[in-house]
Amino acid sequence: MRLRQWHFFILLAAGYLVVSGPTVVCAAPTATPAEQVDLLIQQSDDEGLLKVAKQLRGGLAVSADNPLRVPNFPKARQALETAVTLPGPRQAEAKLLLAKMMLAGEGGPVDVDRALALLDDVIKAGNAEAAYIRGQKLASLPNRDQEARDNLNLALRLGDGAAAFELAKLSGAKPAQAAMTGFGLNLLRQRVARGDAGAAFDLGGYYRKLSDKPEDQKEALAWYRKAAQLGQTAAVVWVARLLGNPDTPLFDPTAAIEQYQTAARDGSIEAAQELVRDFADAGPLKVPPDVYDVWIAKLIDAKDATAVLYYSQALQETAEQRRQSSDQLYEATMAGDVANVDDLIRIGESFRDGAGVVIDQTRAASIFRLGVRNGSNAALTRFAHLVIDAPSLRSQENVALALEKLSGLAAKGSVTGQLLLGDMYAKGVMGQVDETKAIDLYRRALAAAESVEVLNRLADVYLSSADMNKRRKAFPYIERASRAGSESAMLKEAEAYADGEIVGQDFDRAVALYKKAISLGATDALVSLANLYLSRGGETAFRDAHKAFSDAIAAGNREAPVEMARFLKANGKLDEAIDRLTAAARKNNSSAAVELYEYASERAQDPNVGAQWLRLALKTMSDVPREKVHLASVMLMPSDIRLNLQGAAMLRELAGAKIPGAAVALSSVYIEGKGDVKDVPAGLELLEQASQKGDVDAILKLGDLYMDGKFVEGDGEKAVNYYRAVITLHPDDPVANMRMARAYREGRGVERNLAVAATYLKISSDAGSRMATRDLGLAYIWGSGVERQEDKAVQLLRSAAEHGFAFAWHDLAETYGSAIGPEVDASQNFRLNMRGAREGHVSAMIGAGVALLSGFGTQRDPEAGILWLERASASSGWDAPDAMHRLAEVYKFGIGVDKDPKKAREWELRAANAGSATAMFHLALDLEAANTDASKAEAIKWLQRARALQHVQAAKKLKRMGAEDLSSVSLQGVEDNDVEE
């Protein structure tokens, strides 16, 4: 049985990962070095403590069959802490070793000040290595160059040739640098000639860092080989690394693997880890499976935390097994078993992303915090991102640590430090948003380097303001980022010119910017350009939009055919959309083939029409997991058993690989009866199995099913428990918090509480949900669960809209077009509706269309207004029937066009058939006015349909006509007071 195929009992060995605490032992020949420390401390044996500390730091072989040496840094450091207090001939050596451990963060936190003081004591005894290490460290600290130079000069005089290289870096004149470097090289070569392995190792490091030139790397390899021959074990690992670098002519994977194995057999855990990493990450060495099996087993036997991480990724674990291995890995990491900062960061990222372990951002933050305390800036940036992005991690301790360390970085001129510190103020991590401090920090970062990221950050801070004067300040930064090639800035700049809100409106400039972004491959810009043409109206509007898509397709944009088809379908040109998709599908565009099937089957109202395109898509399938899930889901629609089985098999495979959405898609097959299959219990079982493995989508789906009660018996309390289960795993999950907000807002499964609902909306909004941001904005408009704040509402609605939630543009427009929110501003109302219309929101299209027809907030343009209403009516939005009714009124009353009763009746009938109760009511009034028995009977039918949709006036009209028959419909509170509303 191969190791990778073993089940979880292998991982039980990792249960012993946590290092045992100190124990008091009696003098016994079988006592381990760790156990001997306590006894030696009691005996004040400085020589014994130093010897044991070296053993513990260097590591002891796991067993006779496992050569890997496992260090025990905490115990080694404990031994040295006592040894340095004991006067004697070994005190200086103990201080040197303890200083090294403190600088490396081995067995405890990094302590630079104390390490430097210990090294200073050792230097007084004439130790060259101590002078070199101290000088090297001082050179990395601000304003300590002269001290560094003094220490390095002393080290050089005492015979440490490597000090010459550090001195050369400090020297400003090139001739002095060359002379110093040459002196150091000669000194080291002389020591190598006398058999000094350390000198050969230093020469290898010099040439390795000198440059990427093949001759320098070859020289480094030769010196590392020499160091290995002289007994320097660490040199073997560097020989392997140089041979294993695929970017150099030295690349020899077979020789690299052999060298790594040699080092591992000599006890190097680092070498064994490199072999395991390469196999697990499909690295350039292509480590054979049998080599991986050997060393992963020995690493697990050595209780190595990194090995547990890699091994858990290779297992198909149950949820319980996954939790156990995750707990073991976390406990081992926090116990100090992971000394390498890179491994520490890798493990932290695994908990952050759920790679091989149960996702846990709190644990990830704790692990990154260890790295921060050990002086790692890489760990700091990851830690800061978590604190900024996850409100649940903003504890007083975490915020204070991130603020302290980022402030230190920012004070030293670090752009990253200034950027992240700015983000903390911009996102209110310390409590309240402080735009002033955020802007100041972003500007400091920008002064240090012209960064597109910083420019966009500055623009976003200004754009988030409800104050129009502040919003206008965003434009110069948008413009600079756009000139620097930022696609997102290019789109913002184009939008600004198209909208005319923060800069003067310039249609031609907007078109040019969109076209430039399209040439860089930004398909979003293509859609925006097409919508911009439509928003302008005129005879050429649709033709120009059509040409923009056609040009992109001709230029080879692979996404353009699908986007063009969606555009054509939205504008009522389904046949042409199908033609475009057909051409793309025949060129092996799998996405186009899938979309083509959906359009063809929709047009024919038959799921079996167009199934041949799914077979084509299957042959040209993309490797993108999301697209695979979509294709597999659609393959279940036609009644072709072979396609159905293939689709289900694909979904099972994708679900087994934990691809998001796969388990939910497979369950929908059974629950919703797709592909002529319906088995609700089987679908629920699939979801339960996936939820036990930690599939958040599956847990949410279960909650939705019980909340909606469409396919299973409704149970609000059960649904809420599922949502809470997700929040327990991921407190900031935006979807689960949105669901809880809805439950409390509607009182389903819980007692109605608007304040609690608003709290959940805030969490979801902070976690990035644009829908939650919009809903929270509406809550502030109406004072629903929060204090009514118009400025806050406008700011939130604008943020949701600008981050892609198109519905919010219409909501924002309504605040300027009615008595709620700011003062009525017709032009602002139109501009905002137009923004939403261009992004495809149907209510905004209707608002823009009506404004163009009436001249409310803009110049009257009936042609453009009708175009937007027609586009809204052709959509699949719930309010499309309202657009149809508006068009009926346009032709009925001649709003911007000649009256056309025939067209008016056609649009009214379409609206009524599409479900518009208002259209049904007005259609009935027209039929009644015809005053024939047949027309009155038809009018009554339409009134009854409108009444069933809770249309109050239809119910009143039926009552007056004596045809109410309210037996099947209840309209609470309806009274006939002869007043038409």
Side-chain angles (χ1 to χ4, degrees), residues 44 127 144 201 210 367 593 631 650 685 699 706 774 805 888:
S44 298
N127 188 292
R144 306 291 290 271
F201 189 80
L210 184 59
I367 293 167
L631 171 59
M650 282 173 62
E685 178 63 22
I699 303 173
Y706 285 106
R774 175 252 194 171
F805 195 74

Side-chain angles (χ1 to χ4, degrees), residues 560-575:
V562 173
E563 292 298 341
M564 184 175 190
R566 290 170 181 166
F567 169 80
L568 291 166
K569 183 173 182 283
N571 285 281
K573 299 185 181 298
L574 182 59
D575 289 342

Side-chain angles (χ1 to χ4, degrees), residues 452-782:
V452 164
E453 189 176 7
V454 178
L455 288 166
N456 277 315
R457 289 285 216 291
L458 275 163
D460 288 341
V461 171
Y462 283 119
L463 286 174
S464 67
S465 175
D467 184 337
M468 183 54 66
N469 290 326
K470 283 188 177 179
R471 289 175 56 73
R472 290 193 179 100
K473 290 181 180 180
F475 188 74
Y477 298 108
I478 294 172
E479 200 172 31
R480 281 165 68 181
S482 175
R483 299 296 174 274
S486 167
E487 288 181 19
S488 63
M490 222 171 278
L491 291 173
K492 288 176 189 171
E493 187 183 8
E495 191 65 62
Y497 280 117
D499 185 57
E501 184 183 60
I502 63 174
V503 69
Q505 195 169 39
D506 188 332
F507 177 78
D508 293 336
R509 183 74 186 130
V511 169
L513 284 162
Y514 279 134
K515 285 183 175 179
K516 184 177 178 182
I518 292 166
S519 69
L520 296 173
T523 308
D524 287 351
L526 177 59
V527 177
S528 297
L529 176 60
N531 286 327
L532 177 60
Y533 283 128
L534 288 184
S535 71
R536 292 280 293 181
E539 293 180 3
T540 65
F542 186 82
R543 186 167 67 246
D544 290 339
H546 192 284
K547 185 176 185 301
F549 282 110
S550 300
D551 289 347
I553 293 171
N557 186 320
R558 193 168 176 79
E559 297 173 348
V562 173
E563 292 298 341
M564 184 175 190
R566 290 170 181 166
F567 169 80
L568 291 166
K569 183 173 182 283
N571 285 281
K573 299 185 181 298
L574 182 59
D575 289 342
E576 187 184 348
I578 288 174
D579 290 342
R580 288 283 177 175
L581 289 173
T582 302
R586 285 175 176 158
K587 294 179 180 178
N588 295 330
N589 186 324
S590 59
S591 296
V594 175
E595 195 96 357
L596 176 56
Y597 163 74
E598 293 179 303
Y599 286 13
S601 59
E602 178 185 338
R603 181 176 63 178
Q605 294 294 299
D606 182 350
N608 293 310
V609 171
Q612 72 274 17
W613 297 113
L614 293 180
R615 297 186 189 95
L616 179 64
L618 195 58
K619 293 176 182 176
T620 59
M621 181 171 51
S622 162
D623 289 330
V624 178
R626 171 177 48 82
E627 293 183 9
K628 284 185 175 181
V629 171
H630 183 208
L631 171 59
S633 302
V634 176
M635 286 167 66
L636 300 162
M637 302 303 294
S639 57
D640 182 323
I641 189 64
R642 294 184 65 182
L643 272 178
N644 298 162
L645 290 173
Q646 282 179 289
M650 282 173 62
L651 286 175
R652 287 191 189 94
E653 180 183 344
L654 292 165
K658 299 185 177 73
I659 300 301
V664 171
L666 186 58
S667 72
S668 297
V669 174
Y670 297 101
I671 293 172
E672 299 173 23
K674 292 180 179 179
D676 291 333
V677 175
K678 186 156 187 175
D679 188 340
V680 173
L684 292 175
E685 178 63 22
L686 279 168
L687 289 174
E688 288 289 358
Q689 289 175 3
S691 68
Q692 289 169 16
K693 294 178 181 177
D695 188 325
V696 170
D697 289 337
I699 303 173
L700 288 170
K701 177 73 171 180
L702 284 165
D704 292 346
L705 286 169
Y706 285 106
M707 183 61 81
D708 297 339
K710 182 178 180 181
F711 298 102
V712 297
E713 186 177 349
D715 188 333
E717 189 173 342
K718 197 170 185 178
V720 166
N721 287 337
Y722 279 115
Y723 299 147
R724 283 189 173 132
V726 174
I727 291 172
T728 300
L729 291 170
H730 310 293
D732 301 319
D733 185 276
V735 179
N737 279 286
M738 270 293 293
R739 298 289 198 275
M740 289 298 291
R742 185 181 74 170
Y744 275 100
R745 186 170 62 238
E746 299 175 2
R748 299 177 65 187
V750 290
E751 187 175 344
R752 189 167 186 262
N753 189 320
L754 295 179
V756 174
T759 300
Y760 279 111
L761 282 177
K762 177 72 165 58
I763 295 170
S764 183
S765 174
D766 286 345
S769 169
R770 299 165 297 179
M771 182 186 292
T773 303
R774 175 252 194 171
D775 285 359
L776 190 60
L778 294 177
Y780 277 106
I781 279 283
W782 299 109

Side-chain angles (χ1 to χ4, degrees), residues 306-372:
T306 304
V308 175
L309 171 63
Y310 278 110
Y311 189 58
S312 65
Q313 290 173 340
L315 285 175
Q316 295 296 321
E317 298 175 297
T318 65
E320 182 58 31
Q321 290 167 349
R322 191 175 169 85
R323 277 193 293 271
Q324 286 184 21
S325 59
S326 299
D327 291 345
Q328 291 160 4
L329 176 61
Y330 179 69
E331 289 165 8
T333 304
M334 297 307 292
D337 288 1
V338 183
N340 185 294
V341 174
D342 290 339
D343 285 338
L344 201 65
I345 291 171
R346 183 188 288 268
I347 293 170
E349 289 174 338
S350 296
F351 277 105
R352 181 193 65 192
D353 304 329
V357 294
V358 175
I359 189 170
D360 191 324
Q361 291 189 327
T362 302
R363 285 182 168 181
S366 297
I367 293 167
F368 290 141
R369 195 163 53 225
L370 278 183
V372 173

